[in-house]
Amino acid sequence: MSAAAGAAEVQRSGVAKQVTHWINGKPADRPAQRRGEIFNPATGRVTGTVDFAAAADVEAAVGAATAAFPAWRNTSISGRTQIMFRFRELLTAHQGELAKIISSEHGKVESDAAGEVARGLEVVEFACGTPHLLKGGFSENVSARMDAYSILQPLGVVAGITPFNFPAMVPMWMFPVAIACGNTFVLKPSEKAPSASIRIAELWAEAGLPAGVFNVLHGDKAAVDGLLEHPGVKAVSFVGSTPVARHIYETAARGGKRVQALGGAKNHMVVLPDADLDLAADAAVSAGFGSAGERCMAISVVVAVDPVGDALMSKIAERVARLRVGPGDDERSEMGPLVTAQHRDRVASYLDSGVRQGATLAVDGRGTPVLGERGEGFWLGPSVLDRVTPDMDCYRDEIFGPVLSVARVPSYEAAMELIAANPYGNGTAVFTNDGGAARRFQNEVEVGMVGINVPIPVPMAYYSFGGWKASLFGDSHAHGMEGVHFYTRTKAVTARWLDPSRGGVNLGFPTNG
C-alpha cells in the first residue's frame, strides 16, 4: 500500500499508519526496537509511527546499496537515463498525491507542497541530461602517437540526510544527480515527515530502478551517525541547521568521505529608497511567511534604508492582516501550522524576547484566527518585529518560523555592513530601481545566492544551490554541475597504440616530437 493510500485508510479506520525503511527495493521486515510519532500539525493528533533505524538497519541499507553498485555503475548511460525519464513522468503524475502527503505531515498548504515537488522535478529533469553531463575531455596527440582523455566515474554508495521542511524537494536536490551519475543512494529523511520518501521509493521501483539503488533509512541521530561512520559510504550530502551541518562535516570528513553540508541562514532583504514599495512589501510577506517561514531561503530580516521604514512597515502590516491561516488541505489557506508544538513554542518565544530587548511588536501572530477548527494544532500566525537591532536574539538566531524582523539603517553602506557582520551567508536580496546600485550590491555582498527584486533567489536546477560562510561546510553546492562533480571523480587516462609499422623500444619520457 502506498503512503497516500495508507493515510486515507487511517482517516477511514482510525488505525495509525506505520512507516518503515525501504531497503533493497521493498519495505523492511525487521521489527523496530524504537519508533517515533508522526503528527498532523493542523490538528496536533498522532497519525502514525515511524521506525527508527538500529545498527543492523544501517548495515542492511548500506549493504544493499553496496551490492547494487557494480551492476548499476555498469548500466549504460542511456539505460540509466531511460529510467530517469520514467521516474520523472511518474513524479509528474503523482504530484498532487505527494503534496497531500507532505501537507499532512509538515503542515504547509497543499499548493506550497505541490510547488515544492515541482522544484524537485526540475532537478530530475536536469539529471535526465546525464549523457551530456558525463562527457569527459579528449586530446589527440598530446605526445608522439599518444592521446589523453578524462572520464567521470561514480563514487559508490552515497548518503543524503535531509530536513523536515522540504520532504520531497531537498532529497531531490541530491539523489537524482547521484543516481544518474551511477551511484547508489541511502536517504535519511526527517523523522517528522517520513512518508513522502517512501512514496518516492515506490515510484522509483515502478520506474524500473533496480533494487538496492535507492534506499530509505528512517530514524534520529543514531541513524545519522551510523551512516557518517560507515566505511562503505563514500560521500554525504546534508541540509539543515548550522550546528548539525558542522557535526556532519567534521565527522564524515574525519572518515575520509566527501561532504557537502548546507547549514542555516539569516537572509536579509535590503529595500533602497528608490524601490517600488508595493513590490517590496509583497515580496517581504510572501518570502517571510510562505511555508510558515520554515525554509532556509525565507527572508527573515527586512533592512529598510532611510527614509522608507515607516511607509514600508505600513504596507507590510496591511498585507499580513489579509493572510489566511488554516489547514493545508483547505484551499482558502495561505499559511499552515508549524511542524511541532515544541517548535511553535520556541518560535513564539522570540516575540517576547524581542520586546524585552527593545523591538516593537508590530504584528502579534499568537491571536491570528484560524480557518475551520483550531483544535490542538501547532498554530502561530504571521508576526512582525520592527526596529530590530543586531544585539537582539531575534536577529542573531535563525528563528525558522513566521517571524519577520525589520531593521532600519541610514544608508546603503550601513545595510552592507549589517549583512557582512552576520555569520551566515545563504541568501539575500535587494529591491531597487537603480541598475547601478543593484550591480554594486551583487558584486559586494558576501552571500552565496543573490536576488535583485527577487526575494527568494533559489537557483534553477542547472545552476547550483548553496551559501557562503557558516551556511556551507565543504566545497560543493547542491545540484547543477557542482552536484555532478560532487558525485563523480575524474580519472585521467594517457594511451598509446603503437603503429605496427614502427618498432623499437624507448625507455625515456614521452616527448613532444
Side-chain angles (χ1 to χ4, degrees):
M1 180 183 292
S2 72
E9 182 64 23
V10 169
Q11 293 175 355
R12 290 192 297 269
S13 66
V15 177
K17 62 184 173 183
Q18 180 179 331
V19 179
T20 191
H21 320 296
W22 182 273
I23 298 174
N24 204 28
K26 61 184 186 299
D29 54 9
R30 186 189 309 273
Q33 298 173 346
R34 296 185 303 130
R35 291 191 177 98
E37 292 179 325
I38 304 170
F39 289 87
N40 181 336
T43 64
R45 296 175 188 149
V46 175
T47 58
T49 61
V50 55
D51 291 350
F52 282 9
D57 300 306
V58 176
E59 192 61 46
V62 176
T66 301
F69 174 63
W72 182 244
R73 71 163 292 179
N74 289 321
T75 299
S76 71
I77 295 177
S78 296
R80 298 201 299 260
T81 304
Q82 289 168 9
I83 293 174
M84 191 67 62
F85 270 107
R86 288 198 291 271
F87 178 62
R88 185 259 179 202
E89 293 305 310
L90 288 167
L91 276 175
T92 301
H94 292 274
Q95 182 174 351
E97 176 192 355
L98 282 166
K100 290 181 183 297
I101 295 171
I102 293 165
S103 178
S104 71
E105 295 182 351
H106 172 275
K108 65 178 66 176
V109 298
E110 288 185 13
S111 59
D112 196 2
E116 166 188 344
V117 178
R119 291 308 303 263
L121 263 166
E122 293 172 3
V123 182
V124 176
E125 292 165 351
F126 170 77
C128 287
T130 301
H132 173 73
L133 301 174
L134 291 183
K135 289 191 298 186
F138 186 94
S139 297
E140 188 179 33
N141 288 328
V142 295
S143 187
R145 297 167 300 282
M146 189 176 293
D147 304 326
Y149 50 96
S150 63
I151 53 179
L152 299 176
Q153 294 187 323
L155 305 177
V157 179
V158 298
I161 301 164
T162 57
F164 72 84
N165 58 326
F166 289 100
M169 184 185 73
V170 171
M172 282 194 277
W173 287 352
M174 303 172 186
F175 65 72
V177 178
I179 289 173
C181 289
N183 301 280
T184 54
F185 201 91
V186 180
L187 172 64
K188 210 303 286 183
S190 170
E191 67 278 14
K192 296 182 180 70
S195 296
S197 61
I198 297 302
R199 188 65 183 117
I200 288 170
E202 293 171 345
L203 296 178
W204 265 126
E206 189 176 343
L209 190 72
V213 175
F214 180 74
N215 306 273
V216 181
L217 201 63
H218 297 292
D220 52 9
K221 188 175 185 296
V224 171
D225 287 343
L227 290 171
L228 296 180
E229 295 166 2
H230 198 293
V233 175
K234 305 303 181 186
V236 176
S237 300
F238 171 80
V239 175
S241 69
T242 286
V244 180
R246 183 179 286 110
H247 168 74
I248 298 282
Y249 177 74
E250 292 174 352
T251 305
R254 190 163 53 243
K257 305 181 194 307
R258 282 193 184 180
V259 193
Q260 53 177 196
L262 281 65
K266 197 71 179 180
N267 302 322
H268 298 71
M269 185 180 111
V270 176
V271 181
L272 296 181
D274 71 310
D276 182 322
L277 294 189
D278 287 313
L279 176 65
D282 288 342
V285 172
S286 62
F289 303 120
S291 197
E294 294 173 324
R295 53 188 180 192
C296 66
M297 288 297 286
I299 289 298
S300 52
V301 182
V302 172
V303 183
V305 179
D306 288 341
V308 302
D310 289 342
L312 182 61
M313 264 303 308
S314 176
K315 291 177 181 293
I316 288 174
E318 175 186 304
R319 286 158 173 77
V320 170
R322 297 198 299 263
L323 285 180
R324 296 188 299 271
V325 177
D329 59 0
D330 188 325
E331 292 184 354
R332 299 172 297 169
S333 300
E334 296 172 300
M335 193 186 100
L338 275 71
V339 68
T340 65
Q342 294 83 358
H343 184 57
R344 184 267 319 277
D345 293 344
R346 174 187 170 275
V347 172
S349 72
Y350 284 98
L351 303 180
D352 292 328
S353 70
V355 171
R356 283 197 310 270
Q357 294 169 0
T360 300
L361 184 56
V363 180
D364 187 347
R366 287 171 291 196
T368 300
V370 175
L371 297 173
E373 294 287 335
R374 187 181 181 98
E376 299 299 321
F378 312 138
W379 300 103
L380 176 65
S383 304
V384 182
L385 288 166
D386 190 15
R387 300 187 184 278
V388 170
T389 56
D391 58 320
M392 298 178 184
D393 291 337
C394 59
Y395 178 85
R396 287 198 302 260
D397 298 346
E398 183 183 25
I399 297 176
F400 217 67
V403 177
L404 183 66
S405 297
V406 177
R408 303 186 183 215
V409 296
S411 64
Y412 168 89
E413 288 76 16
M416 295 300 290
E417 290 172 5
L418 190 69
I419 298 172
N422 195 274
Y424 297 110
N426 201 49
T428 190
V430 63
F431 277 70
T432 180
N433 285 315
D434 185 332
R439 192 173 188 278
R440 180 182 173 189
F441 183 85
Q442 74 176 33
N443 179 58
E444 295 177 346
V445 72
E446 295 187 10
V447 175
M449 293 172 283
V450 179
I452 298 173
N453 297 320
V454 175
I456 304 180
V458 176
M460 297 298 289
Y462 35 84
Y463 286 88
S464 296
F465 180 101
W468 290 6
K469 301 194 288 188
S471 295
L472 176 72
F473 297 85
D475 298 322
S476 296
H477 292 177
H479 61 70
M481 283 308 300
E482 288 197 46
V484 172
H485 293 151
F486 180 77
Y487 289 119
T488 59
R489 52 187 175 178
T490 303
K491 182 179 288 183
V493 180
T494 305
R496 169 186 283 159
W497 296 101
L498 297 181
D499 186 335
S501 66
R502 298 174 64 94
V505 175
N506 182 354
L507 299 182
F509 285 102
T511 67
N512 294 324

